[in-house]
DNA sequence: CGGGCATATAACTGTCGAGGCATATTCGCT
DNA sequence: AGCGAATATGCCTCGACAGTTATATGCCCG
C-alpha cells in the first residue's frame, strides 16, 4: 500500500524534479529550493512527502538537512513495470517478425510464444 | 510534457487497476466498470484520462468500445527509470563489495547487468 | 423509424493537495 | 544565554479532480 504513496509522490512534477536533482548528488534543502525555484516551506513539504514515500533519506549536518535518494522504491517501480515490459517486448517482437517477413534478411528462430 | 499526463494518469489507483486489467486482455467499458467496482460514468472518465495519456487505445465494435493497452508509454516510463536503475545497481554493487570485504568468500567480478 | 443497449458528456458537489505567509524549532557560534 | 542560519510546521485559500445523477449520442435490430 506504500505503493500508493510512491505513485502520488512521483505524480508531482516538482517532486520529480527534486528526485532528478538528488540523482546527481545529495543536497541540503536550501539548495534544492533554489535549484527548483521553489519557496523554502514548499520545498520542505515536498521533501516530507518524498521521505514518507521512502524515496529520500536525510542526514543531519549541523543545521543542514542533507537529502539523498533511496534506491529501494525505484526497484519497486521497476517491479511494477515488469509485466508491462513483457507486453512491450512482445510488441517489438511482432514488429520485428513483420519486418522479417517483408525483407529477405536472415531470419532468427521464432521465439517461443507463451 | 505528456510525461506529466502519463504520471498523473497512473497516480490514481483505480486507473492503475484498469491498466492491470487491460494487461490480461482488451475489454469493453462495462466489463472494466464491473471488475473494478466503479460506476459506468466514472469508468468512462478514467478511460478518457488513460486515452489522453496514450496508455490506452480504443477499437469500436458495434456499441462496444473495446479498450486495449498501448505499450509505448510503458517504454517512456522505463526510459525515465533508466538513470535511477543505474543508481540501484550501483548500490547493489556497493553492498556486494562490502559483503565481500567482510567475508573470506571468493569475490566475483561485478555482473554486467543490462 | 423507433426502441433499447453501451458509452460518452454535463452539471454539481465534496475532498485533497499545493502554494504562500507567518511562526516555531533546532543547532552552532560567540 | 542570546543570536542568526537552516529547516519544519500551522493555518489559510484556491484550484484540480473524483464521484454521482441526469441526459445526450451512437449503434444495432425489429
Amino acid at each position: 500500500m506504500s505503493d500508493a504513496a510512491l505513485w502520488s509522490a512521483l505524480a508531482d512534477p516538482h517532486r520529480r524534479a527534486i528526485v532528478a536533482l538528488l540523482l546527481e548528488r545529495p543536497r541540503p534543502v536550501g539548495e534544492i529550493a533554489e535549484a527548483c525555484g521553489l519557496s523554502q516551506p514548499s520545498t520542505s513539504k515536498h521533501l516530507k512527502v518524498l521521505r514518507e514515500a521512502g524515496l529520500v533519506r536525510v542526514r543531519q549536518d549541523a543545521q543542514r538537512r542533507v537529502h539523498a535518494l533511496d534506491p529501494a522504491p525505484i526497484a519497486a517501480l521497476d517491479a511494477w513495470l515488469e509485466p508491462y515490459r513483457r507486453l512491450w517486448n512482445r510488441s517489438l517482437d511482432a514488429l520485428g517478425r513483420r519486418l522479417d517477413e517483408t525483407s529477405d534478411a536472415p531470419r532468427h528462430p521464432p521465439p517461443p510464444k507463451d
Side-chain angles (χ1 to χ4, degrees), chain A residues 25-67:
Chain A
R25 59 186 149 98
R27 296 175 195 256
V29 179
E31 201 175 319
I32 298 172
E34 197 200 2
C36 293
L38 289 171
S39 77
Q40 176 266 313
S42 179
T43 307
S44 275
K45 285 191 211 170
H46 281 309
L47 286 171
K48 180 174 190 175
V49 174
L50 290 172
R51 248 179 287 138
E52 285 170 350
L55 275 161
V56 143
R57 301 174 135 250
V58 209
R59 173 182 56 104
Q60 185 136 7
D61 169 56
Q63 302 104 2
R64 305 263 166 93
R65 297 205 152 204
V66 181
H67 290 251

Side-chain angles (χ1 to χ4, degrees), chain A residues 48-103:
Chain A
K48 180 174 190 175
V49 174
L50 290 172
R51 248 179 287 138
E52 285 170 350
L55 275 161
V56 143
R57 301 174 135 250
V58 209
R59 173 182 56 104
Q60 185 136 7
D61 169 56
Q63 302 104 2
R64 305 263 166 93
R65 297 205 152 204
V66 181
H67 290 251
L69 270 192
D70 187 334
I74 302 297
L77 256 195
D78 208 60
W80 183 90
L81 215 48
E82 238 292 305
Y84 302 98
R85 212 177 344 247
R86 266 199 270 277
L87 175 69
W88 164 255
N89 287 332
R90 205 152 47 228
S91 80
L92 270 195
D93 242 45
L95 177 61
R97 243 192 316 279
R98 206 159 326 137
L99 288 181
D100 278 358
E101 279 169 12
T102 54
S103 81

